[in-house]
Amino acid sequence: MCIRDRARLELKSVKKVLADFLAEQKEFYQQRSGKIGSLQGMLEESEKLIKSLRAQLMSSTEKLEIALKENERLQETIEAMKKYVKEAREHSERMEEEEKIARVELEKITKELNEKVEKLAKALVENKQCKLTIEELQEKLKQHESIDKEATNTHNE
């Protein structure tokens, strides 16, 4: 075997080793490209998911802000209602006190009126009796006058 043949064999051997190496590298890069592609797809889906989550977060944040404002408004309403109830309770208590005072005053006035009615009734009875007495006295006066006239007439005759 001459050098040329040996060199050809060596060259064939080197070519074969290089071809095997290139095939392995190609397969490695294809696998790697597949993994990279898969990872890139996962990355894109992750980005979409992140965008979706951000949108949901923004929506949730807006809803939370709206809920907080509504809660604040309701809290103000509750405070106003508490104040109104307190004022109404105080007014009711004042009205009860005024009603008690008015009842006492009404009882006093009723008692006084009843006493005055009794006095008036007595006065009416006395007045009626006096009227009867006056009528009787007038009747007696008429009788005496007529007796006096008769006596004067009889005396004059």
Side-chain angles (χ1 to χ4, degrees):
M1 225 191 243
C2 68
I3 297 182
R4 206 185 244 176
D5 289 336
R6 249 194 226 175
R8 277 187 193 166
L9 279 177
E10 282 283 326
L11 187 57
K12 277 185 183 180
S13 170
V14 169
K15 279 184 181 180
K16 187 173 189 261
V17 169
L18 274 176
D20 288 344
F21 177 74
L22 287 175
E24 284 177 14
Q25 287 298 313
K26 185 177 179 182
E27 186 179 324
F28 172 76
Y29 284 115
Q30 283 176 345
Q31 287 176 352
R32 194 170 182 196
S33 290
K35 287 180 182 177
I36 289 173
S38 173
L39 288 173
Q40 201 166 11
M42 288 171 59
L43 179 64
E44 288 172 4
E45 285 194 27
S46 295
E47 287 174 350
K48 288 178 187 176
L49 182 61
I50 288 170
K51 284 180 184 178
S52 172
L53 289 173
R54 278 188 183 153
Q56 288 177 3
L57 178 63
M58 293 300 285
S59 174
S60 295
T61 303
E62 290 170 359
K63 287 177 184 176
L64 181 60
E65 287 175 358
I66 291 169
L68 286 172
K69 286 178 184 175
E70 183 67 18
N71 186 32
E72 188 175 308
R73 189 184 66 77
L74 289 173
Q75 196 66 31
E76 289 171 359
T77 302
I78 289 170
E79 290 302 318
M81 292 298 283
K82 283 181 182 178
K83 183 179 176 184
Y84 175 77
V85 167
K86 182 181 176 187
E87 289 173 358
R89 188 175 293 129
E90 290 172 354
H91 179 72
S92 176
E93 289 171 359
R94 281 193 307 272
M95 293 302 290
E96 286 176 7
E97 288 298 318
E98 289 176 10
E99 184 179 348
K100 286 178 185 176
I101 293 169
R103 280 188 185 147
V104 169
E105 288 296 317
L106 182 62
E107 286 175 8
K108 284 181 185 177
I109 292 170
T110 303
K111 186 177 178 183
E112 289 174 6
L113 284 175
N114 285 336
E115 289 173 0
K116 287 181 181 181
V117 166
E118 284 180 30
K119 286 180 183 178
L120 279 174
K122 286 179 184 178
L124 279 174
V125 168
E126 288 176 10
N127 190 19
K128 192 173 185 181
Q129 288 173 351
C130 287
K131 191 175 181 182
L132 289 175
T133 305
I134 290 172
E135 287 175 358
E136 288 172 1
L137 288 173
Q138 283 177 343
E139 191 64 37
K140 285 183 182 180
L141 181 62
K142 283 182 187 178
Q143 287 174 357
H144 285 290
E145 283 177 357
S146 70
I147 292 172
D148 276 344
K149 267 188 184 180
E150 283 179 27
T152 307
N153 285 341
T154 311
H155 182 69
N156 284 338
E157 287 178 5

